[in-house]
Amino acid sequence: DVKVTQSSRYLVKRTGEKVFLECVQDMDHENMFWYRQDPGLGLRLIYFSYDVKMKEKGDIPEGYSVSREKKERFSLILESASTNQTSMYLCASLWWGAPPGELFFGEGSRLTVL
Amino acid sequence: QKEVEQDPGPLSVPEGAIVSLNCTYSNSAFQYFMWYRQYSRKGPELLMYTYSSGNKEDGRFTAQVDKSSKYISLFIRDSQPSDSATYLCAMSRGGAQKLVFGQGTRLTINP
């Protein structure tokens, strides 16, 4: 079974802090994604990566950056956290040959910014 | 107007009932249609996937796509308490980076 692991399930940070969210997948998938999930808004794509060191902006990249130094690991970085970044963050991976919707998600990282 | 609209519910039905969950969309270019199930405090998991129009059945679950009406449905037969979750529709015109999600419908099946 594909496993996507988000190391931090719950985080509480202060405004202005730098935040790292880590995601690791164990199935050698080329594509990895970061979404945020908010009530009434569904899932919105922040960034995605289709290969090591490659990244593309999603729909809401402002205030975020990403890093993909190894195929299995995709990190989301909040350079200076703000209260409007309080949300559930979901990492997902996808094999390059799979249909576009066959995403495998991690369990999520719930971030609260005070 | 959102590209994908989904009634957020909550929807509460008795065990054994037939459940119908729906999404409407505005972009006629969508070709791939998905339903994800998300249990509380978990990530979404893919439940059903359909390409273009038609029906797809998997056990107690049936996914239906009507492209002429821009409407997709998920039917759950003989619903069980373990079906209690949030159901998200998603669709794409091609490419996972172009996936658009509905808001999700929270469903509770009462024993």
Side-chain angles (χ1 to χ4, degrees), chain A residues 1-3 14 16 19-20 22 44 49 64 68 75 79-81 84 86 89 98-100 110:
Chain A
D1 281 350
V2 175
K3 194 164 173 87
R14 298 225 173 257
V19 182
F20 291 89
E22 302 284 338
R44 294 177 292 166
S49 169
Y64 303 95
R68 191 156 181 212
S75 303
E79 293 289 341
S80 178
N84 64 10
T86 292
Y89 290 89
R110 183 165 292 282

Side-chain angles (χ1 to χ4, degrees), chain B residues 31-44:
Chain B
Q31 297 183 73
Y32 302 88
F33 303 92
M34 281 70 63
W35 286 96
Y36 284 83
R37 178 175 61 195
Q38 185 175 22
Y39 291 116
S40 182
R41 291 186 289 278
K42 299 285 188 182

Side-chain angles (χ1 to χ4, degrees), chain B residues 2 4 13 24 55-56 72 104:
Chain B
K2 291 181 180 175
V4 178
V13 301
T24 58
N55 292 2
K56 187 172 185 177
I72 71 169

Side-chain angles (χ1 to χ4, degrees), chain B residues 1 7 19-20 33 36 41-42 52 72 75 79 85 91-92 97 102:
Chain B
Q1 183 192 1
D7 187 340
V19 177
S20 171
F33 303 92
Y36 284 83
R41 291 186 289 278
K42 299 285 188 182
S52 194
I72 71 169
F75 297 97
S79 56
M91 44 199 84
S92 171
Q97 69 274 27

Side-chain angles (χ1 to χ4, degrees), chain A residues 9-10 33 35 37-38 40-45 48 59 88 90 94 99-108, chain B residues 2 8 32 34 36 38 41-46 49 86 88 92 94-104:
Chain A
R9 294 292 311 277
Y10 301 94
F33 305 81
Y35 288 89
Q37 183 176 28
D38 300 288
L41 297 176
L43 274 72
R44 294 177 292 166
L45 182 63
F48 70 98
D59 299 317
M88 169 71 90
L90 290 161
L94 176 74
E102 286 196 357
L103 295 171
F104 289 89
F105 282 92
E107 295 201 323
Chain B
K2 291 181 180 175
Y32 302 88
M34 281 70 63
Y36 284 83
Q38 185 175 22
R41 291 186 289 278
K42 299 285 188 182
E45 57 178 338
L46 183 65
Y49 162 74
T86 296
L88 299 135
S92 171
Q97 69 274 27
K98 299 183 181 70
L99 205 60
V100 180
F101 285 85
Q103 302 96 308

Side-chain angles (χ1 to χ4, degrees), chain A residues 44-57:
Chain A
R44 294 177 292 166
L45 182 63
I46 305 171
Y47 267 97
F48 70 98
S49 169
Y50 52 89
D51 202 351
V52 175
K53 297 192 187 295
M54 306 302 289
K55 61 186 178 185
E56 295 282 344
K57 292 180 180 179

